Amino acid sequence: MARENLEITLAPRSVLGKKLRQLRRDGFVPTHMYGQSAEALTLQGERSAIGRLVPQAGANIAITVTVEGKKGNDVCLIREVQRHPVSEEILHVDFMRVDVSQKITAEVPLTLLGESPAAREQGGTVIQPTTTLPVEALPLEMPEALSVSIDDLLEFGDVVLVSAIDVPEGAQILREDDDVVARVLAPRIEAEPETELEEGELAEGEEGELAEGEEGDGNADEGAGPEGAE
């Protein structure tokens, strides 16, 4: 089921370049809006509002954007979010206009539900080759997320396919039905440690090496005799 449309109000921005630092200190995030052959707009939004919106919308949920002083509003997707490399603070957001009457493609998160008996009872590991799937739908009908159960992963090697995912009406996953989205693997077998030797037992080849060593020591002692006598 598609999430209810999100909304945000942005304001025109005249601050550019190095002055953006002060804009951010004042609690605003610089943004751009573009697309649909309309004029690109240089905008800004309150940091608190942007901070709430970005994790809710992701890259696949439509947003109704109202621009102060502009008639009407636009339906957009978030196309890029720039963050500070250390603090993760949002530095800039790009909004792309979309036509609500035309289908779009977006990456939708995939969640695994339940628990695999093979993992729970036999120590297997469930792997998920992909965490998102490409979905085609109208902007206002794009699902927030997809989910599929892994309760039927009973034995090692069992898989869950794209065909097992329930897709909302009007949406289509752009992957083959037999593509794997989850698999349960057997646990790795640890290598057995080498067998310890019984007391007094020599490994193959050690006896000969020891004998040669003893003979060499004897020769060395004989040679050292005259020197020690001096």
Side-chain angles (χ1 to χ4, degrees), residues 3-39:
R3 175 187 287 194
E4 183 180 354
N5 192 29
L6 301 173
E7 300 179 353
I8 192 169
T9 298
L10 303 176
R13 170 169 59 91
S14 58
V15 176
L16 301 171
K18 295 182 179 180
K19 295 182 179 179
L20 289 176
R21 290 185 179 181
Q22 185 60 50
L23 180 74
R24 296 185 180 104
R25 292 193 190 101
D26 292 339
F28 295 94
V29 175
T31 70
H32 277 112
M33 182 193 295
Y34 60 88
Q36 290 297 303
S37 300
E39 177 188 6

PDB file of all heavy atoms in Angstrom, residues 3-39:
ATOM      1  N   ARG A   3       2.217   4.960   0.657  1.00  0.00           N
ATOM      2  CA  ARG A   3       2.154   5.864   1.808  1.00  0.00           C
ATOM      3  C   ARG A   3       1.430   7.146   1.423  1.00  0.00           C
ATOM      4  O   ARG A   3       1.444   7.579   0.274  1.00  0.00           O
ATOM      5  CB  ARG A   3       3.590   6.187   2.254  1.00  0.00           C
ATOM      6  CG  ARG A   3       3.649   7.204   3.372  1.00  0.00           C
ATOM      7  CD  ARG A   3       5.057   7.625   3.669  1.00  0.00           C
ATOM      8  NE  ARG A   3       5.800   6.583   4.345  1.00  0.00           N
ATOM      9  CZ  ARG A   3       6.966   6.802   4.961  1.00  0.00           C
ATOM     10  NH1 ARG A   3       7.482   8.016   4.982  1.00  0.00           N
ATOM     11  NH2 ARG A   3       7.602   5.827   5.552  1.00  0.00           N
ATOM     12  N   GLU A   4       0.775   7.773   2.403  1.00  0.00           N
ATOM     13  CA  GLU A   4       0.120   9.050   2.173  1.00  0.00           C
ATOM     14  C   GLU A   4       1.156  10.071   1.720  1.00  0.00           C
ATOM     15  O   GLU A   4       2.280  10.109   2.209  1.00  0.00           O
ATOM     16  CB  GLU A   4      -0.555   9.516   3.466  1.00  0.00           C
ATOM     17  CG  GLU A   4      -1.322  10.813   3.309  1.00  0.00           C
ATOM     18  CD  GLU A   4      -1.973  11.236   4.611  1.00  0.00           C
ATOM     19  OE1 GLU A   4      -1.911  10.445   5.587  1.00  0.00           O
ATOM     20  OE2 GLU A   4      -2.524  12.344   4.657  1.00  0.00           O
ATOM     21  N   ASN A   5       0.766  10.896   0.770  1.00  0.00           N
ATOM     22  CA  ASN A   5       1.689  11.864   0.199  1.00  0.00           C
ATOM     23  C   ASN A   5       2.258  12.805   1.258  1.00  0.00           C
ATOM     24  O   ASN A   5       1.535  13.328   2.102  1.00  0.00           O
ATOM     25  CB  ASN A   5       0.962  12.693  -0.872  1.00  0.00           C
ATOM     26  CG  ASN A   5       1.931  13.510  -1.706  1.00  0.00           C
ATOM     27  OD1 ASN A   5       3.068  13.109  -1.884  1.00  0.00           O
ATOM     28  ND2 ASN A   5       1.470  14.625  -2.230  1.00  0.00           N
ATOM     29  N   LEU A   6       3.552  13.019   1.218  1.00  0.00           N
ATOM     30  CA  LEU A   6       4.225  13.915   2.146  1.00  0.00           C
ATOM     31  C   LEU A   6       4.217  15.335   1.597  1.00  0.00           C
ATOM     32  O   LEU A   6       4.092  15.552   0.386  1.00  0.00           O
ATOM     33  CB  LEU A   6       5.662  13.437   2.364  1.00  0.00           C
ATOM     34  CG  LEU A   6       5.821  12.026   2.928  1.00  0.00           C
ATOM     35  CD1 LEU A   6       7.290  11.627   2.939  1.00  0.00           C
ATOM     36  CD2 LEU A   6       5.238  11.936   4.326  1.00  0.00           C
ATOM     37  N   GLU A   7       4.390  16.308   2.478  1.00  0.00           N
ATOM     38  CA  GLU A   7       4.361  17.710   2.075  1.00  0.00           C
ATOM     39  C   GLU A   7       5.489  18.497   2.731  1.00  0.00           C
ATOM     40  O   GLU A   7       5.930  18.160   3.833  1.00  0.00           O
ATOM     41  CB  GLU A   7       3.016  18.353   2.469  1.00  0.00           C
ATOM     42  CG  GLU A   7       1.800  17.707   1.840  1.00  0.00           C
ATOM     43  CD  GLU A   7       0.508  18.376   2.278  1.00  0.00           C
ATOM     44  OE1 GLU A   7       0.577  19.258   3.172  1.00  0.00           O
ATOM     45  OE2 GLU A   7      -0.544  18.019   1.739  1.00  0.00           O
ATOM     46  N   ILE A   8       5.920  19.544   2.029  1.00  0.00           N
ATOM     47  CA  ILE A   8       6.897  20.470   2.603  1.00  0.00           C
ATOM     48  C   ILE A   8       6.749  21.816   1.911  1.00  0.00           C
ATOM     49  O   ILE A   8       6.347  21.895   0.740  1.00  0.00           O
ATOM     50  CB  ILE A   8       8.345  19.947   2.457  1.00  0.00           C
ATOM     51  CG1 ILE A   8       9.291  20.780   3.324  1.00  0.00           C
ATOM     52  CG2 ILE A   8       8.786  19.956   0.999  1.00  0.00           C
ATOM     53  CD1 ILE A   8      10.684  20.176   3.457  1.00  0.00           C
ATOM     54  N   THR A   9       7.070  22.879   2.638  1.00  0.00           N
ATOM     55  CA  THR A   9       7.057  24.236   2.081  1.00  0.00           C
ATOM     56  C   THR A   9       8.488  24.750   2.034  1.00  0.00           C
ATOM     57  O   THR A   9       9.213  24.701   3.038  1.00  0.00           O
ATOM     58  CB  THR A   9       6.190  25.179   2.935  1.00  0.00           C
ATOM     59  OG1 THR A   9       4.835  24.710   2.928  1.00  0.00           O
ATOM     60  CG2 THR A   9       6.230  26.602   2.385  1.00  0.00           C
ATOM     61  N   LEU A  10       8.880  25.252   0.865  1.00  0.00           N
ATOM     62  CA  LEU A  10      10.216  25.809   0.659  1.00  0.00           C
ATOM     63  C   LEU A  10      10.095  27.278   0.293  1.00  0.00           C
ATOM     64  O   LEU A  10       9.021  27.742  -0.120  1.00  0.00           O
ATOM     65  CB  LEU A  10      10.953  25.049  -0.446  1.00  0.00           C
ATOM     66  CG  LEU A  10      11.112  23.541  -0.244  1.00  0.00           C
ATOM     67  CD1 LEU A  10      11.768  22.924  -1.476  1.00  0.00           C
ATOM     68  CD2 LEU A  10      11.922  23.235   1.005  1.00  0.00           C
ATOM     69  N   ALA A  11      11.190  28.002   0.435  1.00  0.00           N
ATOM     70  CA  ALA A  11      11.205  29.431   0.126  1.00  0.00           C
ATOM     71  C   ALA A  11      12.265  29.726  -0.927  1.00  0.00           C
ATOM     72  O   ALA A  11      13.279  29.019  -1.009  1.00  0.00           O
ATOM     73  CB  ALA A  11      11.496  30.236   1.397  1.00  0.00           C
ATOM     74  N   PRO A  12      12.049  30.745  -1.767  1.00  0.00           N
ATOM     75  CA  PRO A  12      13.081  31.142  -2.735  1.00  0.00           C
ATOM     76  C   PRO A  12      14.382  31.488  -2.016  1.00  0.00           C
ATOM     77  O   PRO A  12      14.369  31.993  -0.885  1.00  0.00           O
ATOM     78  CB  PRO A  12      12.473  32.377  -3.419  1.00  0.00           C
ATOM     79  CG  PRO A  12      11.000  32.219  -3.236  1.00  0.00           C
ATOM     80  CD  PRO A  12      10.831  31.577  -1.887  1.00  0.00           C
ATOM     81  N   ARG A  13      15.487  31.203  -2.674  1.00  0.00           N
ATOM     82  CA  ARG A  13      16.807  31.450  -2.066  1.00  0.00           C
ATOM     83  C   ARG A  13      17.644  32.306  -2.994  1.00  0.00           C
ATOM     84  O   ARG A  13      17.767  32.021  -4.187  1.00  0.00           O
ATOM     85  CB  ARG A  13      17.513  30.114  -1.799  1.00  0.00           C
ATOM     86  CG  ARG A  13      18.973  30.252  -1.390  1.00  0.00           C
ATOM     87  CD  ARG A  13      19.521  28.906  -0.892  1.00  0.00           C
ATOM     88  NE  ARG A  13      19.432  27.845  -1.875  1.00  0.00           N
ATOM     89  CZ  ARG A  13      20.382  27.538  -2.753  1.00  0.00           C
ATOM     90  NH1 ARG A  13      21.513  28.253  -2.780  1.00  0.00           N
ATOM     91  NH2 ARG A  13      20.215  26.548  -3.599  1.00  0.00           N
ATOM     92  N   SER A  14      18.279  33.322  -2.411  1.00  0.00           N
ATOM     93  CA  SER A  14      19.193  34.174  -3.169  1.00  0.00           C
ATOM     94  C   SER A  14      20.641  33.981  -2.727  1.00  0.00           C
ATOM     95  O   SER A  14      21.563  34.443  -3.397  1.00  0.00           O
ATOM     96  CB  SER A  14      18.799  35.655  -3.013  1.00  0.00           C
ATOM     97  OG  SER A  14      18.808  36.028  -1.635  1.00  0.00           O
ATOM     98  N   VAL A  15      20.813  33.310  -1.596  1.00  0.00           N
ATOM     99  CA  VAL A  15      22.158  33.105  -1.041  1.00  0.00           C
ATOM    100  C   VAL A  15      22.868  32.009  -1.836  1.00  0.00           C
ATOM    101  O   VAL A  15      22.326  30.921  -2.051  1.00  0.00           O
ATOM    102  CB  VAL A  15      22.076  32.706   0.439  1.00  0.00           C
ATOM    103  CG1 VAL A  15      23.458  32.398   0.981  1.00  0.00           C
ATOM    104  CG2 VAL A  15      21.411  33.821   1.238  1.00  0.00           C
ATOM    105  N   LEU A  16      24.093  32.286  -2.247  1.00  0.00           N
ATOM    106  CA  LEU A  16      24.864  31.334  -3.045  1.00  0.00           C
ATOM    107  C   LEU A  16      26.308  31.286  -2.539  1.00  0.00           C
ATOM    108  O   LEU A  16      26.726  32.111  -1.717  1.00  0.00           O
ATOM    109  CB  LEU A  16      24.850  31.738  -4.522  1.00  0.00           C
ATOM    110  CG  LEU A  16      23.491  31.842  -5.218  1.00  0.00           C
ATOM    111  CD1 LEU A  16      23.652  32.461  -6.587  1.00  0.00           C
ATOM    112  CD2 LEU A  16      22.826  30.479  -5.313  1.00  0.00           C
ATOM    113  N   GLY A  17      27.053  30.338  -3.045  1.00  0.00           N
ATOM    114  CA  GLY A  17      28.485  30.278  -2.789  1.00  0.00           C
ATOM    115  C   GLY A  17      28.860  30.135  -1.328  1.00  0.00           C
ATOM    116  O   GLY A  17      28.242  29.397  -0.564  1.00  0.00           O
ATOM    117  N   LYS A  18      29.871  30.899  -0.925  1.00  0.00           N
ATOM    118  CA  LYS A  18      30.406  30.787   0.431  1.00  0.00           C
ATOM    119  C   LYS A  18      29.400  31.227   1.499  1.00  0.00           C
ATOM    120  O   LYS A  18      29.527  30.840   2.663  1.00  0.00           O
ATOM    121  CB  LYS A  18      31.688  31.622   0.556  1.00  0.00           C
ATOM    122  CG  LYS A  18      32.836  31.108  -0.306  1.00  0.00           C
ATOM    123  CD  LYS A  18      34.088  31.949  -0.114  1.00  0.00           C
ATOM    124  CE  LYS A  18      35.239  31.416  -0.960  1.00  0.00           C
ATOM    125  NZ  LYS A  18      36.468  32.237  -0.781  1.00  0.00           N
ATOM    126  N   LYS A  19      28.417  32.025   1.118  1.00  0.00           N
ATOM    127  CA  LYS A  19      27.426  32.493   2.078  1.00  0.00           C
ATOM    128  C   LYS A  19      26.496  31.377   2.546  1.00  0.00           C
ATOM    129  O   LYS A  19      25.721  31.566   3.490  1.00  0.00           O
ATOM    130  CB  LYS A  19      26.617  33.636   1.476  1.00  0.00           C
ATOM    131  CG  LYS A  19      27.434  34.894   1.196  1.00  0.00           C
ATOM    132  CD  LYS A  19      26.568  36.007   0.644  1.00  0.00           C
ATOM    133  CE  LYS A  19      27.386  37.265   0.388  1.00  0.00           C
ATOM    134  NZ  LYS A  19      26.557  38.365  -0.171  1.00  0.00           N
ATOM    135  N   LEU A  20      26.555  30.216   1.876  1.00  0.00           N
ATOM    136  CA  LEU A  20      25.696  29.105   2.270  1.00  0.00           C
ATOM    137  C   LEU A  20      26.038  28.607   3.672  1.00  0.00           C
ATOM    138  O   LEU A  20      25.180  28.055   4.368  1.00  0.00           O
ATOM    139  CB  LEU A  20      25.827  27.952   1.269  1.00  0.00           C
ATOM    140  CG  LEU A  20      25.201  28.200  -0.109  1.00  0.00           C
ATOM    141  CD1 LEU A  20      25.477  27.023  -1.036  1.00  0.00           C
ATOM    142  CD2 LEU A  20      23.705  28.436   0.008  1.00  0.00           C
ATOM    143  N   ARG A  21      27.268  28.780   4.087  1.00  0.00           N
ATOM    144  CA  ARG A  21      27.650  28.372   5.442  1.00  0.00           C
ATOM    145  C   ARG A  21      26.817  29.103   6.479  1.00  0.00           C
ATOM    146  O   ARG A  21      26.328  28.519   7.441  1.00  0.00           O
ATOM    147  CB  ARG A  21      29.142  28.637   5.683  1.00  0.00           C
ATOM    148  CG  ARG A  21      30.074  27.726   4.902  1.00  0.00           C
ATOM    149  CD  ARG A  21      31.508  27.989   5.307  1.00  0.00           C
ATOM    150  NE  ARG A  21      32.426  27.104   4.597  1.00  0.00           N
ATOM    151  CZ  ARG A  21      33.747  27.100   4.769  1.00  0.00           C
ATOM    152  NH1 ARG A  21      34.289  27.967   5.645  1.00  0.00           N
ATOM    153  NH2 ARG A  21      34.507  26.276   4.097  1.00  0.00           N
ATOM    154  N   GLN A  22      26.658  30.409   6.267  1.00  0.00           N
ATOM    155  CA  GLN A  22      25.864  31.194   7.204  1.00  0.00           C
ATOM    156  C   GLN A  22      24.393  30.792   7.131  1.00  0.00           C
ATOM    157  O   GLN A  22      23.700  30.752   8.150  1.00  0.00           O
ATOM    158  CB  GLN A  22      26.021  32.686   6.897  1.00  0.00           C
ATOM    159  CG  GLN A  22      25.322  33.595   7.908  1.00  0.00           C
ATOM    160  CD  GLN A  22      25.850  33.392   9.320  1.00  0.00           C
ATOM    161  OE1 GLN A  22      27.058  33.411   9.558  1.00  0.00           O
ATOM    162  NE2 GLN A  22      24.936  33.180  10.270  1.00  0.00           N
ATOM    163  N   LEU A  23      23.921  30.477   5.925  1.00  0.00           N
ATOM    164  CA  LEU A  23      22.541  30.031   5.761  1.00  0.00           C
ATOM    165  C   LEU A  23      22.286  28.773   6.587  1.00  0.00           C
ATOM    166  O   LEU A  23      21.266  28.663   7.282  1.00  0.00           O
ATOM    167  CB  LEU A  23      22.246  29.762   4.284  1.00  0.00           C
ATOM    168  CG  LEU A  23      20.827  29.285   3.960  1.00  0.00           C
ATOM    169  CD1 LEU A  23      19.846  30.446   4.069  1.00  0.00           C
ATOM    170  CD2 LEU A  23      20.765  28.672   2.560  1.00  0.00           C
ATOM    171  N   ARG A  24      23.238  27.859   6.551  1.00  0.00           N
ATOM    172  CA  ARG A  24      23.092  26.615   7.324  1.00  0.00           C
ATOM    173  C   ARG A  24      23.170  26.903   8.814  1.00  0.00           C
ATOM    174  O   ARG A  24      22.452  26.274   9.608  1.00  0.00           O
ATOM    175  CB  ARG A  24      24.157  25.609   6.889  1.00  0.00           C
ATOM    176  CG  ARG A  24      24.017  25.155   5.430  1.00  0.00           C
ATOM    177  CD  ARG A  24      25.016  24.061   5.075  1.00  0.00           C
ATOM    178  NE  ARG A  24      24.864  23.635   3.693  1.00  0.00           N
ATOM    179  CZ  ARG A  24      25.690  23.988   2.707  1.00  0.00           C
ATOM    180  NH1 ARG A  24      26.737  24.766   2.967  1.00  0.00           N
ATOM    181  NH2 ARG A  24      25.478  23.562   1.475  1.00  0.00           N
ATOM    182  N   ARG A  25      24.036  27.830   9.216  1.00  0.00           N
ATOM    183  CA  ARG A  25      24.122  28.192  10.638  1.00  0.00           C
ATOM    184  C   ARG A  25      22.800  28.784  11.128  1.00  0.00           C
ATOM    185  O   ARG A  25      22.443  28.645  12.300  1.00  0.00           O
ATOM    186  CB  ARG A  25      25.258  29.194  10.868  1.00  0.00           C
ATOM    187  CG  ARG A  25      26.659  28.628  10.665  1.00  0.00           C
ATOM    188  CD  ARG A  25      27.707  29.581  11.207  1.00  0.00           C
ATOM    189  NE  ARG A  25      29.053  29.188  10.817  1.00  0.00           N
ATOM    190  CZ  ARG A  25      29.748  29.734   9.829  1.00  0.00           C
ATOM    191  NH1 ARG A  25      29.209  30.725   9.124  1.00  0.00           N
ATOM    192  NH2 ARG A  25      30.965  29.310   9.544  1.00  0.00           N
ATOM    193  N   ASP A  26      22.082  29.424  10.225  1.00  0.00           N
ATOM    194  CA  ASP A  26      20.811  30.049  10.589  1.00  0.00           C
ATOM    195  C   ASP A  26      19.662  29.038  10.620  1.00  0.00           C
ATOM    196  O   ASP A  26      18.509  29.421  10.871  1.00  0.00           O
ATOM    197  CB  ASP A  26      20.473  31.167   9.602  1.00  0.00           C
ATOM    198  CG  ASP A  26      21.432  32.351   9.736  1.00  0.00           C
ATOM    199  OD1 ASP A  26      22.072  32.487  10.800  1.00  0.00           O
ATOM    200  OD2 ASP A  26      21.557  33.127   8.761  1.00  0.00           O
ATOM    201  N   GLY A  27      19.972  27.761  10.332  1.00  0.00           N
ATOM    202  CA  GLY A  27      18.956  26.726  10.451  1.00  0.00           C
ATOM    203  C   GLY A  27      18.231  26.369   9.166  1.00  0.00           C
ATOM    204  O   GLY A  27      17.138  25.801   9.212  1.00  0.00           O
ATOM    205  N   PHE A  28      18.852  26.654   8.013  1.00  0.00           N
ATOM    206  CA  PHE A  28      18.221  26.348   6.732  1.00  0.00           C
ATOM    207  C   PHE A  28      19.107  25.410   5.905  1.00  0.00           C
ATOM    208  O   PHE A  28      20.327  25.378   6.075  1.00  0.00           O
ATOM    209  CB  PHE A  28      17.945  27.625   5.935  1.00  0.00           C
ATOM    210  CG  PHE A  28      16.939  28.535   6.584  1.00  0.00           C
ATOM    211  CD1 PHE A  28      17.354  29.569   7.419  1.00  0.00           C
ATOM    212  CD2 PHE A  28      15.582  28.347   6.383  1.00  0.00           C
ATOM    213  CE1 PHE A  28      16.437  30.405   8.028  1.00  0.00           C
ATOM    214  CE2 PHE A  28      14.654  29.171   6.996  1.00  0.00           C
ATOM    215  CZ  PHE A  28      15.078  30.203   7.822  1.00  0.00           C
ATOM    216  N   VAL A  29      18.473  24.674   4.997  1.00  0.00           N
ATOM    217  CA  VAL A  29      19.182  23.784   4.081  1.00  0.00           C
ATOM    218  C   VAL A  29      18.943  24.270   2.657  1.00  0.00           C
ATOM    219  O   VAL A  29      17.781  24.447   2.249  1.00  0.00           O
ATOM    220  CB  VAL A  29      18.682  22.332   4.216  1.00  0.00           C
ATOM    221  CG1 VAL A  29      19.345  21.442   3.164  1.00  0.00           C
ATOM    222  CG2 VAL A  29      18.956  21.798   5.610  1.00  0.00           C
ATOM    223  N   PRO A  30      19.985  24.529   1.874  1.00  0.00           N
ATOM    224  CA  PRO A  30      19.793  24.922   0.476  1.00  0.00           C
ATOM    225  C   PRO A  30      19.262  23.747  -0.348  1.00  0.00           C
ATOM    226  O   PRO A  30      19.652  22.601  -0.143  1.00  0.00           O
ATOM    227  CB  PRO A  30      21.203  25.327   0.027  1.00  0.00           C
ATOM    228  CG  PRO A  30      22.124  24.631   0.970  1.00  0.00           C
ATOM    229  CD  PRO A  30      21.403  24.518   2.272  1.00  0.00           C
ATOM    230  N   THR A  31      18.339  24.047  -1.274  1.00  0.00           N
ATOM    231  CA  THR A  31      17.758  23.016  -2.126  1.00  0.00           C
ATOM    232  C   THR A  31      17.620  23.537  -3.550  1.00  0.00           C
ATOM    233  O   THR A  31      17.704  24.744  -3.813  1.00  0.00           O
ATOM    234  CB  THR A  31      16.361  22.586  -1.625  1.00  0.00           C
ATOM    235  OG1 THR A  31      15.434  23.652  -1.843  1.00  0.00           O
ATOM    236  CG2 THR A  31      16.391  22.231  -0.146  1.00  0.00           C
ATOM    237  N   HIS A  32      17.402  22.585  -4.471  1.00  0.00           N
ATOM    238  CA  HIS A  32      17.060  22.912  -5.856  1.00  0.00           C
ATOM    239  C   HIS A  32      15.828  22.103  -6.246  1.00  0.00           C
ATOM    240  O   HIS A  32      15.619  20.997  -5.745  1.00  0.00           O
ATOM    241  CB  HIS A  32      18.206  22.560  -6.817  1.00  0.00           C
ATOM    242  CG  HIS A  32      19.269  23.601  -6.898  1.00  0.00           C
ATOM    243  ND1 HIS A  32      20.543  23.408  -6.419  1.00  0.00           N
ATOM    244  CD2 HIS A  32      19.250  24.869  -7.402  1.00  0.00           C
ATOM    245  CE1 HIS A  32      21.273  24.505  -6.625  1.00  0.00           C
ATOM    246  NE2 HIS A  32      20.509  25.397  -7.220  1.00  0.00           N
ATOM    247  N   MET A  33      15.024  22.649  -7.157  1.00  0.00           N
ATOM    248  CA  MET A  33      13.926  21.908  -7.763  1.00  0.00           C
ATOM    249  C   MET A  33      14.065  22.018  -9.278  1.00  0.00           C
ATOM    250  O   MET A  33      14.305  23.114  -9.804  1.00  0.00           O
ATOM    251  CB  MET A  33      12.568  22.467  -7.325  1.00  0.00           C
ATOM    252  CG  MET A  33      11.387  21.685  -7.893  1.00  0.00           C
ATOM    253  SD  MET A  33       9.809  22.560  -7.690  1.00  0.00           S
ATOM    254  CE  MET A  33       9.680  22.568  -5.908  1.00  0.00           C
ATOM    255  N   TYR A  34      13.924  20.884  -9.977  1.00  0.00           N
ATOM    256  CA  TYR A  34      14.071  20.905 -11.427  1.00  0.00           C
ATOM    257  C   TYR A  34      13.194  19.808 -12.031  1.00  0.00           C
ATOM    258  O   TYR A  34      12.592  18.995 -11.320  1.00  0.00           O
ATOM    259  CB  TYR A  34      15.541  20.690 -11.817  1.00  0.00           C
ATOM    260  CG  TYR A  34      16.111  19.366 -11.341  1.00  0.00           C
ATOM    261  CD1 TYR A  34      16.003  18.221 -12.127  1.00  0.00           C
ATOM    262  CD2 TYR A  34      16.745  19.267 -10.110  1.00  0.00           C
ATOM    263  CE1 TYR A  34      16.516  17.006 -11.689  1.00  0.00           C
ATOM    264  CE2 TYR A  34      17.256  18.062  -9.663  1.00  0.00           C
ATOM    265  CZ  TYR A  34      17.132  16.937 -10.464  1.00  0.00           C
ATOM    266  OH  TYR A  34      17.633  15.744 -10.024  1.00  0.00           O
ATOM    267  N   GLY A  35      13.138  19.759 -13.355  1.00  0.00           N
ATOM    268  CA  GLY A  35      12.414  18.709 -14.055  1.00  0.00           C
ATOM    269  C   GLY A  35      11.119  19.159 -14.674  1.00  0.00           C
ATOM    270  O   GLY A  35      10.634  20.274 -14.441  1.00  0.00           O
ATOM    271  N   GLN A  36      10.551  18.283 -15.531  1.00  0.00           N
ATOM    272  CA  GLN A  36       9.286  18.519 -16.223  1.00  0.00           C
ATOM    273  C   GLN A  36       9.328  19.770 -17.111  1.00  0.00           C
ATOM    274  O   GLN A  36       8.322  20.457 -17.285  1.00  0.00           O
ATOM    275  CB  GLN A  36       8.139  18.628 -15.217  1.00  0.00           C
ATOM    276  CG  GLN A  36       7.773  17.322 -14.533  1.00  0.00           C
ATOM    277  CD  GLN A  36       7.271  16.286 -15.522  1.00  0.00           C
ATOM    278  OE1 GLN A  36       6.316  16.508 -16.252  1.00  0.00           O
ATOM    279  NE2 GLN A  36       7.934  15.138 -15.554  1.00  0.00           N
ATOM    280  N   SER A  37      10.509  20.045 -17.659  1.00  0.00           N
ATOM    281  CA  SER A  37      10.681  21.171 -18.586  1.00  0.00           C
ATOM    282  C   SER A  37      10.265  22.509 -17.989  1.00  0.00           C
ATOM    283  O   SER A  37       9.963  23.463 -18.718  1.00  0.00           O
ATOM    284  CB  SER A  37       9.876  20.928 -19.880  1.00  0.00           C
ATOM    285  OG  SER A  37      10.305  19.743 -20.516  1.00  0.00           O
ATOM    286  N   ALA A  38      10.204  22.567 -16.686  1.00  0.00           N
ATOM    287  CA  ALA A  38       9.872  23.821 -16.016  1.00  0.00           C
ATOM    288  C   ALA A  38      11.148  24.479 -15.506  1.00  0.00           C
ATOM    289  O   ALA A  38      12.223  23.877 -15.475  1.00  0.00           O
ATOM    290  CB  ALA A  38       8.909  23.570 -14.859  1.00  0.00           C
ATOM    291  N   GLU A  39      11.010  25.729 -15.106  1.00  0.00           N
ATOM    292  CA  GLU A  39      12.167  26.489 -14.639  1.00  0.00           C
ATOM    293  C   GLU A  39      12.764  25.842 -13.383  1.00  0.00           C
ATOM    294  O   GLU A  39      12.048  25.453 -12.460  1.00  0.00           O
ATOM    295  CB  GLU A  39      11.736  27.918 -14.325  1.00  0.00           C
ATOM    296  CG  GLU A  39      12.833  28.795 -13.771  1.00  0.00           C
ATOM    297  CD  GLU A  39      12.314  30.143 -13.306  1.00  0.00           C
ATOM    298  OE1 GLU A  39      11.083  30.353 -13.320  1.00  0.00           O
ATOM    299  OE2 GLU A  39      13.153  30.982 -12.925  1.00  0.00           O
TER     300      GLU A  39
END
